[in-house]
């Protein structure tokens, strides 16, 4: 069958590409931890403190 080597090369290429993606790019695709996020800015619509 003449398509065998082509299909094998395509499958192995996809496996290697997926492995490289998960090894190098997956950690940067995750959202940051909530503890590492800065505190939200105070709201401007809040009432001023009572004097």
């Amino acid at each position: 069958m003449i398509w065998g080597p082509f299909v094998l090369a395509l499958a192995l290429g996809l496996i290697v590409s997926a492995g490289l993606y998960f090894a190098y790019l997956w950690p940067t695709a995750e959202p940051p931890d909530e503890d590492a996020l800065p505190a939200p800015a105070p709201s401007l619509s809040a009432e001023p403190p009572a004097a």
Side-chain angles (χ1 to χ4, degrees):
M1 180 171 142
I2 195 165
W3 290 101
F6 175 74
V7 172
L8 182 62
L10 186 63
L12 290 176
L14 288 174
I15 291 170
V16 170
S17 296
L20 289 173
Y21 171 77
F22 284 114
Y24 291 105
L25 298 178
W26 183 259
T28 60
E30 293 181 359
D33 293 334
E34 291 185 10
D35 297 338
L37 294 176
S43 176
L44 297 176
S45 63
E47 297 180 17

